[in-house]
Amino acid sequence: EFQLYLVKRLRASHSAAAVVKQAIRERITPYVRDKFSCPGCVVCDVVLRRYLPSERQKLPQHFDNEAFATVLVALNSGYTGGLYVQRDWNA
């Protein structure tokens, strides 16, 4: 499986959720709240995805219709990519 939910709908769903808890609390949540003027925003889901040349090499353009904001964090040092922001599905 190339995908693992650490947090699903506000509840830890895997023991590894503790590893990202500090980053969510201290960095991601404050950033999203400030950037989008949303003081009540909370992290609802945390998903780890693996990208390997033999499996998946990229994430095609799509729209996260259940998310107010989506944050992607590269875990590997060799990542090359960029930032893609879309205000809503028809932007």
Side-chain angles (χ1 to χ4, degrees):
E1 180 80 21
F2 62 85
Q3 173 172 297
L4 172 67
Y5 274 88
L6 299 184
V7 177
K8 182 75 171 167
R9 300 196 174 156
L10 299 173
R11 296 184 181 270
S13 57
H14 192 277
S15 59
V19 174
V20 297
K21 187 177 181 179
Q22 183 176 356
I24 291 169
R25 184 180 61 248
E26 295 178 4
R27 301 189 72 184
I28 295 171
T29 301
Y31 176 81
V32 170
R33 287 178 176 175
D34 178 63
K35 186 74 173 172
F36 295 100
S37 300
C38 182
C41 279
V42 296
V43 172
C44 297
D45 297 322
V46 175
V47 183
L48 289 182
R49 288 193 178 126
R50 179 178 65 206
Y51 295 88
L52 294 173
S54 61
E55 293 180 354
R56 295 167 39 119
Q57 296 180 17
K58 59 185 175 181
L59 180 61
Q61 179 180 340
H62 67 284
F63 182 74
D64 292 337
N65 61 352
E66 295 183 13
F68 176 74
T70 300
V71 177
L72 303 175
V73 179
L75 300 177
N76 56 319
S77 60
Y79 173 77
T80 57
L83 173 66
Y84 180 82
V85 178
Q86 182 173 326
R87 190 180 73 215
D88 58 36
W89 68 274
N90 62 359

